[in-house]
Amino acid sequence: MTSADGEGSSDAPRSRTAHLAYASLLENNAEDLFENAPCGYLFTLMDGQIVKANRTLLTWLGRTHDEVVGRMRFADMLTVGGKLYHETHYAPLLRLQGEVSGIALELKAADGTRLPVLVTSTVMTDNDEHPLMVRTTVTDARDRRSYETELLRAREDAEHERARLQRLASTLQRTLVPPHLSAPRGLEVAAHYHIASRDEVSGDFYDLFPLAAHGTWGLFLGDVCGKGAPAAALTSLARYTLRAAAVYDPDPVTVLHNLNTVLNTEDYEQEPRFATVLFGLLSAEREGYRVTLASGGHPEALLLRGDGTAEFVPTPGGQLIGVLAEPHISTTTVRLAPGDTLLLYTDGLTEAHTSAGATDRYGDEALLDFANVLAPSTAEETVDALAELLDAFGEGLDDDTALMSVGVPRGGDGPRT
Amino acid sequence: MDVLHRNNVVVEGRTDGPVIMLANGFGCDQNMWRLVTPLLADEFKIVQFDHVGTGGSDKSAWREERYSSLDGYARDVLEICDALGLGPLVFVGHSVSSVFGVLAAGWEPGTFEKLVLLTPSPRYIDDHDYTGGFSAEDIDELLDSLDSNYLGWSASLAPVIMGNPERPELSEELTNSFCRVDPSIARVFARATFLSDNRADLARVTVPTRVIECAHDVIAPREVGAFVHEAIPGSELVTLDAVGHCPQLSAPEQTAEAIASFAARTDDER
């Protein structure tokens, strides 16, 4: 095409001129490339003395060649904090690795202004690998630094918020378990609450309280589904429902059915709300206590006998509370003689991750073995030993765990009814 | 707790030689002694370790309460000496580690045969009649520098390295690993180091002590070297013709010589 040819012919001289201009810029221009590079460039001896510095760097520093070269050390260009950092990190790394890259420092100009920079250095060696000199480039990092400052501020805000959340969570958690349990006469009681995460409220709960009939007490320990604020609200509801229901009719099966009815109420249909609970009715006997236990899908209680044996208290077939309209609730009765201790716990204990064992969970079997070694044991000794076990799980314990034990002391003044 | 694992204690050199313990200062890890140990290994048994929270130490043992004051690090030195059971040894402390030696020797002089304080400073901040070289604002500036330099540290890498204490080569491969520390731990260590005042502790040192300073050191200037020397009864002062705060890297031969000549000397030669 003629037009294209025409353009081509008129363009050719122009591109030739440009090409020549590029060539002259690139040729014989090592010096210009050094002096006017878009970064600061300097050579230092191994003791830091500056032996060569380019114009870009001198301009940033606001100093002349003669003020810098042969007179200043690398660290002299830095702020005092930067000097400290240079001595404790930069210089050692350079010696140990032969190079350091991307270190954030601040240059201090002659007029006192500061320029955030990123610095990269490599050591030049002679043929015998002896260090001779250091080559350093310095890049302007003002934009990057202001962005990082924003990130840092965001991180500080986040840390602050997290601390606030943890305070809130721990305050809320404390309201879900009683600060102190009072014990019926002739019975020892101990409890422990292990918090797995300081960030989130979990739904374990327990309580022990006197009932109207003389010498009878109610006790419960349970675990609601979920975590966080909804779990806390549900825990509160479960705890007060159980107490109120027990006052109205202390029969353990009736109490759990009442809780089931409340949790099943239409208002709560949007999200699943259920709990596992062990509810017990304690009645004083001539020698100790009788405990009627009702289970709504909760791990079986553990009985540590005064004769040194331990066994689970079977409550098979008990169903979750809050799921079905008419859940099956299983009951059993145990007698606590002097020296016996009954332990209730939530599944954080048996579900803890351990490296030993066939599965990676602690499990019922290991717990029973532990109890067999521990028994005989008072209520307090039992809870202390298990609290220690929970601590030993460390990171393996990822769920909150509640422990409560009641025991009849040996040879103490038994209940008189 | 296994103290030797906690502090990543490494013993090398001549098995039947006199024992020298090398303790590095704030910043990097025991690799700081890398150029000096080959020069000492023929004559001495050398003990090196990492401060808790740095290098190959067990980071899970780090507790802010313990390590926000220099006492915690000094207690670690005594625990390591105790766990090793090698008898009184020559403690060589660089920079802030020299203060750990001063504190530990003040509490339990029997643990140490001698102290070598390499570029020590008992206080970094100027006082009315004392030149430490820095102001409180300067230290804040250093903390800012720490915040803007992560030196290859990243939260996602940390568990891998912490979970493999038996495979230190995993961390060796990473650039800047000698100085890699969780920034929050580095901050606590830096505050403990640069805001402390241990001038009064110097007079409690009763074991033979050699102070080694550099002719040009921006962190511990010569006034500070002279102060330490005068404050420790009977101490001697050696000035190396070296630049910087880390003569074990910038002048390893001179540094090794200054340590060895003092450590090897028997009582009747003094």
Side-chain angles (χ1 to χ4, degrees):
Chain A
M1 284 205 293
T2 49
S3 64
D5 286 342
E7 268 178 35
S9 59
S10 71
D11 232 24
R14 212 165 41 226
S15 73
R16 249 198 311 279
T17 324
H19 181 77
L20 286 173
Y22 298 153
S24 78
L25 259 179
L26 292 168
E27 243 172 68
N28 302 324
N29 240 340
E31 197 194 332
D32 180 61
L33 196 61
F34 174 76
E35 292 292 349
N36 298 315
C39 62
Y41 205 169
L42 72 157
F43 289 77
T44 51
L45 298 181
M46 293 314 291
D47 67 1
Q49 221 181 118
I50 298 171
V51 289
K52 197 170 180 182
N54 74 348
R55 197 174 298 144
T56 311
L57 181 68
L58 295 175
T59 309
W60 287 348
L61 291 173
R63 293 186 188 275
T64 65
H65 174 273
D66 291 351
E67 282 177 300
V68 173
V69 174
R71 287 177 161 266
M72 285 173 77
R73 289 204 165 90
F74 177 65
D76 296 335
M77 313 187 314
L78 306 175
T79 57
V80 185
K83 279 192 181 77
L84 281 167
Y85 193 81
H86 176 265
E87 292 295 322
T88 52
H89 293 77
Y90 197 92
L93 278 175
L94 189 59
R95 278 295 178 130
L96 291 167
Q97 300 180 156
E99 58 176 12
V100 194
S101 65
I103 302 291
L105 292 168
E106 276 192 324
L107 292 188
K108 203 170 168 184
D111 63 2
T113 56
R114 286 143 184 257
L115 176 69
V117 291
L118 288 176
V119 182
T120 294
S121 296
T122 49
V123 175
M124 301 150 72
T125 56
D126 64 13
N127 295 335
D128 299 327
E129 302 284 308
H130 284 123
L132 282 181
M133 224 184 250
V134 180
R135 228 197 293 247
T136 300
T137 57
V138 181
T139 330
D140 182 343
R142 273 174 293 198
D143 285 351
R144 196 188 106 144
R145 198 65 54 83
S146 55
Y147 174 63
E148 284 177 348
T149 309
E150 285 306 314
L151 284 182
L152 209 58
R153 189 153 50 215
R155 193 186 75 186
E156 279 161 10
D157 285 351
E159 277 168 6
H160 183 75
E161 283 304 306
R162 181 156 187 252
R164 206 174 65 89
L165 179 70
Q166 288 181 342
R167 276 199 305 278
L168 200 66
S170 69
T171 309
L172 187 55
Q173 192 82 66
R174 277 199 301 274
T175 66
L176 299 180
V177 293
H180 171 75
L181 291 177
S182 51
R185 189 167 169 196
L187 199 67
E188 242 186 35
V189 54
H192 177 75
Y193 195 97
H194 184 99
I195 295 175
S197 162
R198 300 207 296 135
D199 295 330
E200 209 155 33
V201 184
S202 190
D204 292 5
F205 58 94
Y206 57 79
D207 208 348
L208 174 69
F209 51 96
L211 289 167
H214 186 63
T216 60
W217 286 60
L219 99 170
F220 58 77
L221 181 141
D223 185 0
V224 305
C225 64
K227 282 191 192 316
L234 190 57
T235 303
S236 229
L237 178 69
R239 199 175 148 209
Y240 292 111
T241 303
L242 288 169
R243 282 200 71 149
V247 168
Y248 183 72
D249 181 349
D251 169 56
V253 175
T254 311
V255 169
L256 290 188
H257 274 300
N258 266 317
L259 177 61
N260 188 66
T261 307
V262 170
L263 295 188
N264 261 323
T265 308
E266 266 181 77
D267 298 22
Y268 303 121
E269 266 182 357
Q270 273 94 352
E271 35 185 315
R273 293 178 166 249
F274 55 87
T276 67
V277 190
L278 268 181
F279 185 91
L281 186 63
L282 295 164
S283 327
E285 292 189 320
R286 187 175 308 231
E287 281 269 300
Y289 271 86
R290 188 177 71 238
V291 189
T292 308
L293 274 179
S295 170
H298 196 82
E300 293 175 352
L302 196 57
L303 182 58
L304 290 84
R305 290 284 187 199
D307 66 4
T309 61
E311 63 197 86
F312 283 110
V313 180
T315 41
Q319 291 175 320
L320 285 177
I321 306 295
V323 179
L324 306 169
E326 287 291 328
H328 175 73
I329 287 162
S330 61
T331 56
T332 187
T333 300
V334 238
R335 292 202 141 72
L336 297 181
D340 294 346
T341 293
L342 184 70
L343 172 76
L344 283 64
Y345 56 90
T346 55
D347 63 2
L349 169 60
T350 43
E351 298 280 296
H353 295 269
T354 54
S355 45
T359 66
D360 69 332
R361 307 286 189 167
Y362 183 66
D364 292 346
E365 210 169 304
L367 178 62
L368 186 60
D369 290 347
F370 186 87
N372 261 309
V373 173
L374 190 64
S377 168
T378 67
E380 196 172 331
E381 286 164 359
T382 305
V383 163
D384 285 352
L386 282 155
E388 219 169 277
L389 177 69
L390 292 177
D391 280 342
F393 288 140
E395 300 272 304
L397 184 55
D398 50 15
D399 199 2
D400 282 18
T401 305
L403 304 169
M404 180 166 63
S405 65
V406 288
V408 179
R410 236 185 258 269
D413 54 337
R416 304 273 184 268
T417 50
Chain B
M1 185 203 342
D2 180 2
V3 171
L4 303 184
H5 166 72
R6 179 190 69 187
N7 283 92
N8 188 27
V9 177
V10 175
V11 182
E12 58 184 3
R14 182 168 167 166
T15 42
D16 61 346
V19 185
I20 288 186
M21 176 184 261
L22 302 175
N24 60 280
F26 168 75
C28 301
D29 64 16
Q30 56 182 280
N31 280 290
M32 286 295 282
W33 301 104
R34 208 186 244 192
L35 306 183
V36 163
T37 45
L39 307 172
L40 298 171
D42 286 344
E43 195 178 354
F44 301 97
K45 177 180 268 189
I46 302 168
V47 177
Q48 295 177 82
F49 66 97
D50 292 328
H51 299 300
V52 173
T54 73
S57 69
D58 177 3
K59 274 98 180 166
S60 69
W62 191 84
R63 298 280 178 278
E64 180 158 1
E65 315 83 75
R66 183 174 173 105
Y67 296 106
S68 56
S69 96
L70 300 187
D71 288 5
Y73 299 92
R75 283 211 300 276
D76 282 1
V77 168
L78 289 175
E79 286 173 14
I80 295 167
C81 292
D82 198 41
L84 285 169
L86 296 171
L89 48 76
V90 178
F91 178 89
V92 182
H94 173 232
S95 195
V96 70
S97 270
S98 62
V99 174
F100 306 161
V102 164
L103 290 170
W107 299 331
E108 287 184 24
T111 304
F112 305 97
E113 194 189 323
K114 293 171 186 171
L115 289 186
V116 176
L117 312 181
L118 187 60
T119 63
S121 176
R123 179 175 165 87
Y124 294 91
I125 298 174
D126 294 339
D127 211 352
H128 56 284
D129 57 348
Y130 171 84
T131 309
F134 299 95
S135 67
E137 295 76 52
D138 296 336
I139 304 306
D140 287 340
E141 231 172 47
L142 169 70
L143 297 178
D144 288 344
S145 288
L146 288 171
D147 271 339
S148 26
N149 285 294
Y150 301 100
L151 290 176
W153 187 90
S154 97
S156 59
L157 283 174
V160 177
I161 297 153
M162 287 180 209
N164 290 279
E166 70 283 2
R167 290 187 59 199
E169 72 272 19
L170 270 182
S171 51
E172 290 278 319
E173 288 163 11
L174 301 163
T175 323
N176 300 335
S177 64
F178 311 118
C179 297
R180 187 181 51 251
V181 182
D182 178 337
S184 56
I185 290 180
R187 229 184 138 77
V188 173
F189 195 0
R191 289 186 69 84
T193 299
F194 293 104
L195 301 179
S196 66
D197 184 353
N198 297 90
R199 286 174 291 177
D201 298 304
L202 298 172
R204 294 191 195 105
V205 174
T206 52
V207 300
T209 299
R210 171 176 279 189
V211 178
I212 306 176
E213 62 172 5
C214 290
H216 310 278
D217 180 348
V218 293
I219 293 192
R222 297 202 55 185
E223 293 93 318
V224 175
F227 181 93
V228 175
H229 167 51
E230 277 162 33
I232 299 180
S235 66
E236 32 186 280
L237 177 66
V238 173
T239 307
L240 302 179
D241 182 20
V243 175
H245 188 57
C246 307
Q248 69 270 56
L249 290 174
S250 62
E253 291 86 3
Q254 286 184 65
T255 306
E257 168 58 23
I259 294 170
S261 61
F262 181 67
R265 198 164 65 192
T266 54
D267 279 350
D268 29 290
E269 288 172 83
R270 290 177 66 212

